[in-house]
Amino acid sequence: MSDSPVPRPAWPAGGGALGALIRAHDWSATPLGPAEGWPSSLRTLVDLVVHSPLPMVLLWGPQRIQVYNDGYAAICGPRHPRALGRPHDESWPELRDFLVPVHAAALRGEPSSFIRQHLVLERSGAPEDAWFDLGYAPARDDGEVRGIVATIIDVTASVRATDALLLNDERFHAFAGSSIVFRMNADWSEMQPVEGRGALADTMAASRTWLRDAIHPDDQEAVAKAIAQAIHTRGVFEHEYRVRLAGGTPGWTLARAVPLLDATGTIREWFGTAVDVTARKQGELRQAALLRLGDRLRQVGNADEAAAIASQVVGETLGVTQAGFGRINPVAASTRVMRDWRAHPGVPSMVGIHAFRDYGTYIADLRRGEVVAIADVGTDRRTAGHWDAFRALRVRALLNVPVLDAGGMNGVFLAQHDRARAWTADEIAFVRGVADRTWAEMARFDALRALRLLNQELEALAEQTAADRDRLWRLSSDIMLVARADGQIAAVNPAWTGVLGWREQDLLGANLADLVHPDDLAATLDAIDALESGGKVAPNFANRYRHHDGSYRWIAWNASRSDGLIVAVGRDVTLERERDVALLDAEEKLRQSHKMEAVGQLTGGLAHDFNNLLASISGSLELLALRVRTGKLDDLDRFVGIAQGAVRRAAALTHRLLAFSRRQPLDASPSDAERLVNGMLDLVRRTIGPAIALEVKSAPGLWPTLVDPNQLENALLNLCINARDAMPDGGRLDIALDNVTLDAAEAARCELAAGDYVRLSVSDTGTGMTPEVAAKAFDPFFTTKPIGQGTGLGLSMIYGFARQSGGHIRVESRPGHGTVMRMLLPRHLGAAAPAGAAAL
């Protein structure tokens, strides 16, 4: 397993095309240096810039090095991407006269803003007029102004569109054929039938309540004054005011009327036209609202206050019933509205947490970045099934504008109306602009708040760390010291008195070498030299220090070097070392005892077996001698056979001892284990008897193995005999062969190399073994049989054969559940030897 550190994720995360360029940029070639060495304040500001939905640029350091986002890149034009990481003054030389005082003010800590600032740029090779909404704020690091954060919004298209609209409006002052035509009596107290021409509702009968019915209450007084002035002067009436349009929605009209005079100059009636200027007026109001929003957002102190101001601006500008900004919880698929705006106190508040599933199925649209504009929640297929929830909030029409960044949807701006209402493209664009500006400001507040909290946490952590360090210095039972490079002691903690008997005043100014045991001085000086070379003292480095009473104590050290000083912590390990010495002595004695016990068991077992064998041989020879002396030669072969059998048993015992000691001669050859087992079946069946059922299984494609076939047959027969002895009342014996591949972990548990092996398994349904017995099954001379019925070398011999062959054997057993012996033998990559080859 590799010890290499886990790589840190790429920074900054996301951020669109500029995020990728920033991650790939060679910052070490710029005055900012490598990005991983940037201060946390700079990294926080870069995160804010690249994830801002508004065009933003960060100017950092004395050269004002530029780091910007995708929106600012579009403004740069052909200057991008060369401008990234370069001084700002080099990129915009034509703006020097404007930027020098602005930057100077920001670096003094003074923010500034400009609305519709006219600038002459050279973005396409030639000077061109452009207009921008600009904002400059100081960027700080540890309270010091280190740079400038600028928001650059190109409003050139808007300014030109407004100018064109004003020009068209001036031209439209002439009576147009599509104007609304109306007639008034002399004192305007009665309006004659009106041809609304689609803008206003047609009026078929004269009306004396037209002022109250058609004109907005807030504008009625001004209209009445304009009428009185026109009557007084008998001049042209011209006024712009709010009216109720044909669909019942509020609108704006520009009305002009001229008096028709009789021969005496008396006003007989008025004839006029009115032009629907709702679109122009609403555009002007929305533009003014955006400017007002920018001014007010610069004065707020937190994100919730920014959301409240934006909600008010949207509500009053669009004339909706409710407006609010909600933060998104992507896991719960809900939005949380902290502050909202309501048209009047009777409108229910949206403040709180709202799950999208309670209001319809349009959350998927929002997640894709699509605006959800529903004219009637009672008829739209996404919301019709949740009419009761909307009715509780008095909502009939809704507009949801999502706010997204690289991480997905993080906010939604909500505008709602208590009557059915079709949302225009201009209204949607207005709300989107408000949402983007508001979120940028909220994100800035969130970043500043996070930065403040981080600074507070760091300050608290530093204070706590200092307190903990001081407490540890005073209360630690380990000795601590600070020494100069030449070994002179500069500071010690109170533990020196308890451990070595020295008081602080005894040690300050003294040299470490004066306290070290003479035999340990050279190693100690080498350790100090290693520290001076930038190394560290090994955790187990120990030497002897002189106690105040003249004795020496063993101290284990951890030390490091910092700012020319040696800082070390030592622990008194004298008792541990004494215990280690005593433990080593006890272990040596225990090993000697075990060795003598094993030798005694070995010699006892061998003496017992050889005594029996020698008795058999001696008795046979005495009987032979007696028969020869008496001349009875007819039965000599039987006694010779008895003696030879004893000799063979002695040879078998010697063979087992060699196998146990892994010194038996092995004649390993490529072998087919399946063929070998099949050749042993008749012998195995005769050996285990008819009361035990025998089953053999072999996996297809069994690999050859490199092994001594005779010794493998002997080991298999011994395993079957042991299984038979474990089933005195009969049972089932299974022999299985298969291929296995050991990974590094499994091979380590078996003390083998990782790779391919052939596995021979012998399992029975016998009495089984307890864990204690199974743990000793392969121990030499261990047997559960009565004295005289076994030497305890059978399984030891098999274990020795398996290990000597490059394999392994293990036992799995439980009392009453039988036993499984699994032998692993190394795979041979060549072909197996033909049958009978091993005997040649």
Side-chain angles (χ1 to χ4, degrees), residues 14-42:
L18 258 296
L21 285 178
I22 292 171
R23 289 191 291 272
H25 195 75
D26 182 14
W27 293 103
S28 61
T30 73
L32 299 185
E36 53 268 22
W38 290 0
S40 60
S41 56
L42 175 55

Side-chain angles (χ1 to χ4, degrees), residues 111-136:
S112 58
S113 63
F114 304 86
I115 302 301
R116 295 193 179 188
Q117 176 65 45
H118 175 248
L119 298 173
V120 179
L121 306 180
E122 295 181 4
R123 289 192 288 192
S124 303
E128 61 175 322
D129 291 318
W131 288 265
F132 297 90
D133 288 350
L134 307 171
Y136 297 88

Side-chain angles (χ1 to χ4, degrees), residues 56 160 279 287 396 410 453 462 566 584 600 684 687 714 728 731 733:
M56 291 186 72
R160 289 174 175 166
Q287 185 64 30
R396 190 62 183 266
N410 46 46
L453 291 176
I566 298 172
L584 290 174
V684 171
T687 301
N714 188 38
L733 175 65

Side-chain angles (χ1 to χ4, degrees), residues 593-644:
S593 174
H594 285 171
K595 182 168 65 176
M596 295 306 296
E597 181 181 353
V599 170
Q601 188 174 1
L602 172 62
T603 55
L606 291 176
H608 175 78
D609 282 0
F610 272 105
N611 185 57
N612 291 339
L613 295 172
L614 291 174
S616 178
I617 295 172
S618 175
S620 298
L621 292 176
E622 288 177 2
L623 290 173
L624 281 172
L626 178 61
R627 290 295 182 107
V628 170
R629 284 196 304 272
T630 59
K632 296 180 179 180
L633 306 177
D634 57 338
D635 202 17
L636 296 182
D637 289 342
R638 185 167 64 87
F639 297 112
V640 172
I642 293 173
Q644 288 176 338

